[in-house]
Amino acid sequence: MKKRRRFVVNGCVQGVGFRPAVFRHAESCAIAGFVSNTPLGVIIEAEGEEEALAEFSQRITGSPPSQAIISSCITEELLATGETGFSIRSSERSGDLLAGMPADIATCSQCMAELFDSSDRRFKYPFLNCTDCGPRFTIIRELPYDRERTSMHSFGMCPACQREYADPRDRRFDAQPNACAVCGPGLTLLNSSGDKIQTDDPVVETKRLLEQGVIVAIKGLGGYHLCCSAHNSSALNTLRQRKNRPHKAFAVMFSSLEQIRDYCRVSSIEEKELVSPARPIVVLALLAFSKLPVLVSPDTHDVGAFLPYTPLHHLLLEKSLPLVMTSCNRSEEPIVATEEALVPFLGTIADYALIHNRPIVRRCDDSVVAYSGEKRVVLRRSRGFVPYPIVLLKEGPPILACGADQKNTFCMTRGDKAYLSQYIGDMVEYTSHLFYGESVNDLMKLLGIDPAIVACDMHPDYHSTRYAHALGKRSVVPVQHHHAHIASCMAENRIQGPVIGIAFDGTGFGTDGSIWGGEFLVVDLKGFRRVGRLKQYPMPGGEEAVMHPVRMALSVLKTEGLEVEKLSGRMSEKEMGLLFSLMEKGINSPLTSSAGRLFDAVSAFLGFCDTASYEGQAAVRLQANARGQTGEPFAYDLYSTGDLLELSLGPAIREIVAGETAASVCAVRFHETMAQAATAMCVQLREQEKIGHVVLSGGVFQNALLLERTISALLAKGFVVYFHSLVS
Ligand SMILES: [Zn+2]
Ligand SMILES: [Zn+2]
């Protein structure tokens, strides 16, 4: 006797080829009924013999398409209707639109095979894709996700593509960006004046130019890359000069995992991340005798490596040496994504441009991930991960959280999900402000909410703070920067607290008006209490000190009563005198408890970085110099001051300044000291507060060595330790 059963499937099941997969399973199991995308999830009604239904049910959950993630599948028995045949019903267009919007997906293996199959009609077609792979987030103008609402709208499908698109048995059924060389987007190569270069094959010509050592701006998925050969020192040098980026590491795209292994050490977990559909940049350790020029990543022994994630990348990298692929932008401005915005770069930074005529609707930078052993550190969460939400412990009212001004991303919650934006960048430039405003409006529209509660940083002068107030909402809630750090880590770990939060960070506005950044907070769902901090030092000249680590070295030496003459020759006497008097008089020398600035001071004192060309450079170099070294922690002090516990690394500084330890050994011992000192603080706080759970957050914990040492020191003392692995 036939039975009918309803399945309501939720998770990431829309826009990833789930319905055609269900259709194929239904056909092969002789099941009648239908499948439909609805606001409640994917609904399937299936009718057939019990045995067939069981097999069908097993296949839906057991062999979903590669990109689908099933979080729940609820079944319900219905009365059989005698229906014959199985159909895919068109989407219901209401409710949770964002559920239908997947992240961009790297080219799948079947498309790859076609790309390099000379008998295939899409042989070497740089925009091929299918139901399982291709652009999504970056081409969707509006939801629901249908071709007419994507930037593929202007490309009418040829009869062959249309047939695939309409055939539920075809692997391109309902693939919205489906295209071929006859009907789809195409490439154009431009010279430095923006004139079209006549060539039969723009990819081959681009590869030839890259081999000659030029810089080409290449339009990708979420924006333009500036691209040059990773083996050509003179091209690298030119790119660094033109981009005014002397030291910060460039990302390198390799043709294959095998090629990466020729250059880097790759653990199995790193390999998994590299080949994942999100294809982030993964920071890998270079082999001892690296074949890459030092200019790729002058400050470290690592390289940000990634694999091709579009057909165009696969073609560019085919039989090619690795290519540097760095975001096309000026310093921390948003990535360039239109031909109009590219104009100022052409002829100044890029010698050529390889463009295409499929517009990028949403800019999206490459994501960056690093591993410390098995621990995943997300340095930038963007392409491939956005717009997938982080699932929260409980539901709440919709909230817009505006984020901070440096390396901004913002967040919007709906129900029990937190949707983080793509990477916006530093909010110093007008272009970032525009991108920010557009992206906030965009996400509100996609989520169909208009949050009445807006959270912003407590810093009164942040652009994001002013933006929050300008929205004119009922409730604007200023949040202390480091409280937000710890809360975000609790949220992704789905814990309620109370916890001891260690926020080791650059700088953030504190509730007492001073600059925080080395804080120990007791945090629960209701709020936070500051219970400890690192010893404060003045930042002579204010924020400028961030880019002049040697100023922090001067400040620490002076405060600790050590000879500042140790720094003579490292800055002019005039500058030193001026900074000295600023500190003496307390002018423009705000006190900070920042861990980041303390790392700066030590790194500068050891001679690794007097002036930084990017934020955090001194700490990056300190960590790089600690590589391969071991050592015991230096001494430190832990004492009460008022109602706070304070941790002073003064004794460590004294040992370092004594000069009896080699700089690289000092580097590793300083990391170890920070880890041990923070743990000692937590031991004291555990007695005082009766809390044994510790949460680690803040930019300084992007330092994998510090993170690893701190976690292991805390575990050794019996703490339960939480840290980030999904967001940063
Ligand atoms: Zn594919
Ligand atoms: Zn076509």
Side-chain angles (χ1 to χ4, degrees):
M1 197 183 74
K2 289 201 172 171
K3 292 182 171 172
R4 191 174 179 92
R5 196 165 293 160
R6 178 189 290 138
F7 303 80
V8 181
V9 189
N10 268 289
C12 175
V13 287
Q14 302 190 23
V16 289
F18 190 71
R19 288 179 306 152
V22 169
F23 178 91
R24 288 190 290 272
H25 291 319
E27 279 214 320
S28 63
C29 298
I31 291 290
F34 67 88
V35 55
S36 175
N37 277 342
T38 80
L40 298 172
V42 171
I43 291 189
I44 305 161
E45 287 196 16
E47 190 163 327
E49 299 296 338
E50 177 56 45
E51 212 167 275
L53 275 174
E55 172 65 19
F56 175 67
S57 161
Q58 204 277 326
R59 288 198 196 177
I60 297 172
T61 49
S63 347
S66 57
Q67 297 319 308
I69 302 162
I70 296 174
S71 59
S72 70
C73 178
I74 299 164
T75 59
E76 189 187 344
E77 295 302 320
L78 305 172
L79 289 175
T81 64
E83 187 175 0
T84 54
F86 196 90
S87 64
I88 298 179
R89 292 197 182 165
S90 54
S91 309
E92 285 181 33
R93 305 186 186 288
S94 61
D96 188 351
L97 289 175
L98 203 64
M101 186 169 200
D104 299 308
I105 308 164
T107 312
C108 74
S109 54
Q110 279 175 287
C111 285
M112 274 284 285
E114 289 178 6
L115 185 64
F116 293 108
D117 173 1
S118 58
S119 68
D120 193 276
R121 75 182 188 93
R122 289 191 178 83
F123 178 53
K124 300 220 167 171
Y125 179 58
F127 300 94
L128 93 171
N129 62 79
C130 72
T131 313
D132 281 346
C133 77
R136 300 285 189 272
F137 180 72
T138 51
I139 61 161
I140 297 174
R141 288 191 204 283
E142 276 180 76
L143 291 170
Y145 173 43
D146 278 318
R147 189 178 180 101
E148 65 197 43
R149 281 174 288 272
T150 70
S151 62
M152 287 298 292
H153 170 56
S154 56
F155 300 95
M157 271 184 268
C158 70
C161 285
Q162 183 63 46
R163 255 197 312 279
E164 296 165 337
Y165 180 82
D167 178 3
R169 288 165 197 83
D170 194 279
R171 66 183 201 87
R172 292 198 164 87
F173 171 73
D174 217 22
Q176 306 306 340
N178 189 26
C180 73
V182 175
C183 65
L187 294 167
T188 306
L189 184 60
L190 305 178
N191 66 16
S192 60
S193 322
D195 299 324
K196 184 176 172 177
I197 294 177
Q198 292 303 331
T199 164
D200 292 340
D201 192 333
V203 172
V204 170
E205 183 60 13
T206 301
K207 291 171 78 150
R208 197 184 62 79
L209 289 165
L210 286 168
E211 274 166 30
Q212 286 177 0
V214 303
I215 296 161
V216 186
I218 297 177
K219 189 174 182 180
L221 208 49
Y224 273 89
H225 282 117
L226 290 167
C227 182
C228 73
S229 164
H231 272 274
N232 189 320
S233 290
S234 121
L236 288 166
N237 204 17
T238 307
L239 181 56
R240 289 211 172 275
Q241 276 176 5
R242 290 184 186 170
K243 228 193 155 198
N244 192 19
R245 176 167 159 153
H247 309 115
K248 197 174 182 184
F250 286 141
V252 177
M253 189 177 272
F254 294 83
S255 63
S256 64
L257 208 49
E258 292 64 44
Q259 192 183 49
I260 293 183
R261 287 217 176 82
D262 283 346
Y263 294 81
C264 307
R265 274 207 313 267
V266 189
S267 71
S268 61
I269 196 160
E270 287 164 338
E271 175 181 327
K272 235 172 120 184
E273 189 87 44
L274 281 165
V275 302
S276 71
R279 294 280 156 104
I281 294 167
V282 181
V283 180
L284 299 174
L286 287 164
L287 296 177
F289 298 99
S290 165
K291 290 181 279 182
L292 284 182
V294 173
L295 273 172
V296 171
S297 50
D299 285 344
T300 69
H301 309 284
D302 304 324
V303 68
F306 58 154
L307 289 169
Y309 53 84
T310 69
L312 175 58
H313 294 148
H314 282 290
L315 294 172
L316 285 167
L317 267 298
E318 188 198 6
K319 298 193 185 101
S320 159
L321 287 170
L323 297 173
V324 158
M325 294 274 228
T326 187
S327 299
C328 182
N329 59 0
R330 279 184 217 285
S331 59
E332 291 297 328
E333 283 188 31
I335 188 167
V336 168
T338 63
E339 287 62 59
E340 192 189 357
L342 179 70
V343 172
F345 290 82
L346 204 49
T348 54
I349 297 183
D351 302 303
Y352 296 89
L354 183 62
I355 69 169
H356 61 70
N357 53 349
R358 186 182 71 202
I360 294 169
V361 175
R362 281 190 187 73
R363 278 179 277 205
C364 205
D365 274 274
D366 294 317
S367 296
V368 188
V369 174
Y371 278 86
S372 164
E374 299 280 295
K375 293 175 202 77
R376 182 172 187 258
V377 182
V378 175
L379 302 172
R380 184 197 291 162
R381 184 182 186 274
S382 206
R383 179 189 52 74
F385 300 113
V386 174
Y388 294 139
I390 308 286
V391 181
L392 304 172
L393 192 59
K394 41 175 91 173
E395 293 200 5
I399 297 170
L400 163 64
C402 290
D405 268 16
Q406 284 87 37
K407 301 187 169 61
N408 179 280
T409 56
F410 61 88
C411 176
M412 231 174 270
T413 64
R414 193 186 58 188
D416 65 348
K417 297 191 179 67
Y419 295 87
L420 282 93
S421 74
Q422 68 270 52
Y423 179 73
I424 304 287
D426 283 357
M427 301 280 279
V428 282
E429 304 292 340
Y430 181 63
T431 48
S432 322
H433 298 177
L434 289 181
F435 182 29
Y436 181 83
E438 278 165 23
S439 304
V440 171
N441 290 333
D442 181 38
L443 193 55
M444 281 203 263
K445 202 167 117 193
L446 292 174
L447 286 169
I449 53 169
D450 187 5
I453 306 169
V454 180
C456 65
D457 198 284
M458 202 167 260
H459 199 302
D461 294 330
Y462 273 176
H463 173 80
S464 49
T465 302
R466 286 196 290 270
Y467 180 90
H469 287 285
L471 284 173
K473 298 292 175 187
R474 218 169 344 119
S475 175
V476 177
V477 185
V479 181
Q480 200 283 321
H481 189 87
H482 303 104
H483 176 208
H485 265 298
I486 301 300
S488 73
C489 190
M490 290 169 71
E492 78 157 86
N493 284 288
R494 298 160 64 84
I495 54 170
Q496 311 198 41
V499 299
I500 299 168
I502 307 180
F504 279 177
D505 200 26
T507 49
F509 195 82
T511 53
D512 58 0
S514 78
I515 299 172
W516 293 11
E519 312 309 316
F520 296 80
L521 313 174
V522 169
V523 184
D524 61 16
L525 289 189
K526 289 201 196 77
F528 83 102
R529 198 154 43 83
R530 189 194 199 197
V531 287
R533 69 168 181 217
L534 292 179
K535 180 177 176 177
Q536 293 179 305
Y537 295 100
M539 282 171 72
E543 278 293 316
E544 279 278 290
V546 173
M547 299 309 274
H548 295 90
V550 71
R551 292 189 178 182
M552 285 312 301
L554 180 74
S555 162
V556 169
L557 290 187
K558 178 182 179 300
T559 309
E560 296 297 336
L562 295 162
E563 289 173 37
V564 294
E565 285 70 28
K566 299 248 182 205
L567 293 172
S568 59
R570 308 276 294 280
M571 58 173 87
S572 71
E573 257 175 51
K574 193 176 155 203
E575 187 185 2
M576 195 185 281
L578 176 69
L579 295 172
F580 225 86
S581 79
L582 284 179
M583 286 191 278
E584 303 251 279
K585 294 179 188 144
I587 300 168
N588 196 19
S589 302
L591 288 174
T592 183
S593 47
S594 162
R597 298 294 80 80
L598 193 56
F599 268 84
D600 282 357
V602 171
S603 181
F605 178 79
L606 291 170
F608 297 136
C609 185
D610 287 353
T611 305
S613 65
Y614 59 94
E615 206 198 328
Q617 184 180 18
V620 165
R621 287 187 173 175
L622 191 69
Q623 182 194 347
N625 277 281
R627 185 177 145 122
Q629 304 290 341
T630 52
E632 294 297 304
F634 293 117
Y636 53 84
D637 273 343
L638 179 59
Y639 47 86
S640 292
T641 163
D643 46 10
L644 286 178
L645 282 173
E646 188 167 277
L647 200 53
S648 167
L649 278 283
I653 305 290
R654 249 179 282 282
E655 285 188 64
I656 292 169
V657 170
E660 284 161 16
T661 313
S664 56
V665 178
C666 283
V668 80
R669 291 183 64 188
F670 180 73
H671 281 82
E672 191 63 41
T673 313
M674 287 294 280
Q676 294 292 342
T679 302
M681 171 75 96
C682 288
V683 168
Q684 191 123 341
L685 288 172
R686 177 166 57 188
E687 257 170 49
Q688 181 184 311
E689 306 285 340
K690 309 287 175 245
I691 298 171
H693 290 213
V694 178
V695 169
L696 308 178
S697 186
V700 174
F701 279 118
Q702 293 196 344
N703 176 329
L705 175 62
L706 179 70
L707 179 70
E708 194 267 314
R709 296 315 303 147
T710 307
I711 291 171
S712 101
L714 285 164
L715 290 176
K717 291 289 179 195
F719 287 98
V720 179
V721 189
Y722 299 92
F723 43 91
H724 291 287
S725 62
L726 302 177
V727 302
S728 55

